[in-house]
Amino acid sequence: MLPVDILRNFHLNNLERREHIRIYNMERRIMRDNSDPFALRDEQFIGLFRLSKEMVQYVYNEISPHLNQTENVIAIPNLLKLLVALRFFASGSYQSCIGQSYNLSVSQPTVSNIIKEVSLAISELSRNWVKFPRTAEEKNRIKGRFMSQTHFPGTVGAIDCTHIAIITPQDEEHNYLNRKGFHSKNIQIICDYDLKILNVNATHAGATHDSFIWRHSIIQEELERWYNLGDRNSWLVGDSGYPQQCYLMTPIIDAAPGTPEFAYTQAQMRARNCIERCIGVLKGTFRCLMAERKLRYQPQKVGHIVIACSVLHNIRMSGHQNLEEILLPENHNNFDYFNNHIDVGGMQARADLIERYFN
């Protein structure tokens, strides 16, 4: 074959390929524009997007001003952007699978861009939806729930960390390699007894220990400020990886059965159980956060996704959606680690608590 014939065939094949892509995109856009996910049955809609139709409409109204606006007739509508992101959060499937979904139908690169844009917009809602108690009324309400359900006094939240798997980051890779041998971000979460997330810290790499994240968190500073202002009856509950402090109660390892210390530890464990359930429900609902899914974004974007899912979790909680259908993942953070730091004031605060309530 002559070179001119080769060039002609290459040109014809290229034109044919471009025409095929054009027709495919046009068909996909027609299918997308003619589909109406809101026509799905309520149960099916919630199964796909995790939120009710009313909740999705609320989130859309809140984030719409923060999404990119365009008059381009072939641009992705903002409501569809939200549904694409919600479907990814819910399933954790690869982006190409989300894009080819029968009622979404967008390309994989578009899905990736949508997830970044929508995650950032939803994470901005955390100011209103993920809030640590500030007033005496808010603190007393949370304390009352813990006391009535677990018989552990003074508790304004339960704290723990969980690892969110990520692809190998481009920068400071070694800082993200955790003790389990995979790259992750270590996320600190605080919740109340009813599994509402009160605070989420998504800034730290996977190699960072829970106690370090706590000591450098704004909530530690806030509780210390409360204590210094005279509030000596408000604390979090955490596991033995955390330091015992005046405002953070931890269990007593190997407390002898029948002793006040044992009674204290049993009640403390009951109070702390809610954070394990909260993390399980969060990951079970938004499966993109589960380890086997591995978020394919750089750390900062992963932080936005985690915060966005926390906001959506609390919105679900506000609507009292049934959480029993969610399968809890396996133990999320099973390091055999005990914090050896001795805080004399914290030890005395725990001894005083045991004397008052568990003798």
Side-chain angles (χ1 to χ4, degrees):
M1 184 179 292
L2 296 176
V4 66
D5 294 326
I6 295 175
L7 182 62
R8 183 185 301 110
N9 288 340
F10 175 80
H11 180 65
L12 291 174
N13 289 336
N14 190 45
L15 289 176
E16 183 178 351
R17 182 180 64 85
R18 291 172 63 183
E19 178 65 11
H20 174 76
I21 293 174
R22 188 187 69 81
I23 294 174
Y24 173 74
N25 287 338
M26 182 175 65
E27 290 175 345
R28 184 163 56 184
R29 187 161 60 247
I30 292 172
M31 180 173 65
R32 182 187 73 208
D33 293 343
N34 289 336
S35 68
D36 181 15
F38 283 87
L40 296 169
R41 290 181 293 105
D42 291 345
E43 296 81 3
Q44 189 176 8
F45 187 92
I46 293 173
L48 287 172
F49 304 111
R50 294 299 190 255
L51 303 182
S52 69
K53 296 173 184 178
E54 293 76 17
M55 290 176 180
V56 169
Q57 190 63 54
Y58 164 79
V59 174
Y60 170 71
N61 292 339
E62 291 294 311
I63 70 170
S64 187
H66 305 290
L67 299 179
N68 294 330
Q69 305 291 333
T70 177
E71 296 181 358
N72 190 335
V73 294
I74 65 172
I76 306 296
N78 282 341
L79 180 57
L80 182 59
K81 289 181 182 179
L82 174 59
L83 292 173
V84 167
L86 291 177
R87 185 68 191 124
F88 174 77
F89 297 155
S91 68
S93 299
Y94 289 110
Q95 296 166 2
S96 58
C97 298
I98 300 297
Q100 294 167 9
S101 178
Y102 75 97
N103 59 352
L104 299 177
S105 193
V106 292
S107 68
Q108 185 275 328
T110 301
V111 172
S112 179
N113 292 331
I114 286 173
I115 292 170
K116 294 177 184 177
E117 181 183 1
V118 174
S119 297
L120 180 58
I122 295 177
S123 68
E124 293 295 323
L125 302 183
S126 63
R127 300 184 184 121
N128 296 324
W129 281 98
V130 182
K131 297 190 296 184
F132 197 70
R134 292 290 188 266
T135 67
E137 181 181 359
E138 291 172 337
K139 290 190 283 187
N140 289 334
R141 180 187 59 79
I142 295 174
K143 289 179 187 180
R145 284 291 289 158
F146 273 104
M147 187 64 178
S148 66
Q149 298 299 315
T150 69
H151 304 293
F152 198 86
T155 308
V156 294
I159 184 173
D160 204 352
C161 287
T162 187
H163 286 271
I164 304 299
I166 63 174
I167 60 171
T168 303
Q170 297 175 353
D171 299 321
E172 299 182 347
E173 175 269 339
H174 61 285
N175 288 332
Y176 291 89
L177 187 63
N178 64 37
R179 291 183 176 89
K180 293 184 178 181
F182 63 90
H183 294 92
S184 68
K185 295 201 73 171
N186 196 8
I187 310 298
Q188 177 181 279
I189 297 178
I190 300 172
C191 76
D192 66 13
Y193 181 79
D194 298 306
L195 311 190
K196 179 181 178 181
I197 295 175
L198 305 176
N199 178 263
V200 56
N201 185 339
T203 61
H204 289 274
T208 310
H209 194 271
D210 299 2
S211 62
F212 179 90
I213 297 175
W214 162 247
R215 288 189 178 279
H216 293 81
S217 69
I218 59 173
I219 301 303
Q220 197 267 355
E221 296 176 0
E222 179 76 356
L223 286 171
E224 184 176 36
R225 186 179 67 84
W226 292 1
Y227 185 83
N228 291 334
L229 290 175
D231 184 353
R232 305 301 168 87
N233 192 42
S234 296
W235 41 69
L236 300 179
V237 288
D239 63 25
S240 55
Y242 289 98
Q244 170 60 43
Q245 296 174 297
C246 299
Y247 36 82
L248 175 55
M249 295 294 161
T250 60
I252 299 175
I253 306 303
D254 297 329
T259 63
E261 289 74 17
F262 184 81
Y264 157 88
T265 298
Q266 292 298 300
Q268 195 269 357
M269 291 172 61
R270 289 194 300 269
R272 198 177 76 239
N273 176 259
C274 64
I275 186 60
E276 297 176 4
R277 292 166 51 220
C278 177
I279 292 172
V281 169
L282 177 67
K283 288 186 171 182
T285 304
F286 302 106
R287 293 180 176 268
C288 68
L289 304 180
M290 298 182 74
E292 57 267 28
R293 296 299 195 263
K294 186 179 288 188
L295 287 170
R296 309 184 73 80
Y297 290 95
Q298 290 303 308
Q300 185 180 20
K301 302 298 183 184
V302 171
H304 293 157
I305 291 174
V306 172
I307 295 174
C309 289
S310 300
V311 169
L312 297 172
H313 168 88
N314 280 357
I315 291 175
R316 274 175 54 87
M317 298 296 299
S318 72
H320 305 290
Q321 283 189 212
N322 179 26
L323 302 178
E324 297 303 319
E325 80 280 7
I326 301 300
L327 297 176
L328 301 183
E330 295 181 0
N331 188 5
H332 59 278
N333 204 356
N334 55 3
F335 302 146
D336 291 325
Y337 174 89
F338 302 110
N339 194 287
N340 294 319
H341 177 79
I342 303 298
D343 183 319
V344 176
M347 300 296 284
Q348 185 59 53
R350 184 169 65 183
D352 292 342
L353 175 62
I354 294 172
E355 178 68 26
R356 290 200 311 269
Y357 289 97
F358 298 98
N359 260 326

